[in-house]
Amino acid sequence: SVIREALPTNSLYTGISKIIEANALGTATALYGDIPFSERANDAFPVPKFDKQIDVYAGIQLLLTEAIAELGTTSPNAVLPNDIFAHKSSTWIRIDYTLKARYFLETREYHNAYNAALLGINSTATSWKFYPPALVPDGDYNLLNTFIDQRGGYMSTAGAYLSENLLKAAATG
């Protein structure tokens, strides 16, 4: 991450950047399955390999664990002046645990998911909300759904761990 390279000793910035990165990677792997992970954002790999989805989830959990450790070294009330979510450090830790719980659920690690959820978001005041400005005359839209509606067939979740192993297994078992 550019932020982590520029501010390697600023635990607040590096911790939050890892949470945001883990959320983006977790969303991508949940939707598409195998994604570039171990070689991502590295100029040495102009065409990064696709890692197995289950390995990506493990890497994401490690990113989130690192973020908790880093944010734990900051004041619980520390805030970034340019944080568009306006959360303090302790709230970012709750967001982190909520993401950990989500990804443990997606890999059927229910005991770990439960334990992480207990430390996660516990009120609407600490939820991770962002309301983007209306970018089109008709109002705001979910970008992924808009893309799928307008370009059907370009992207697919066929074969993804979530759809193949969790949703189908739950429907048949």
Side-chain angles (χ1 to χ4, degrees), residues 22-41:
N23 180 58
L25 292 165
T27 300
T29 199
L31 288 170
Y32 308 116
D34 299 349
I35 62 168
F37 183 81
S38 61
E39 296 178 352
R40 75 191 184 281

Side-chain angles (χ1 to χ4, degrees), residues 152-171:
Y154 278 52
M155 296 189 304
S156 169
T157 59
Y161 183 84
L162 181 64
S163 63
E164 294 297 317
N165 296 306
L166 297 182
L167 298 177
K168 284 186 180 176

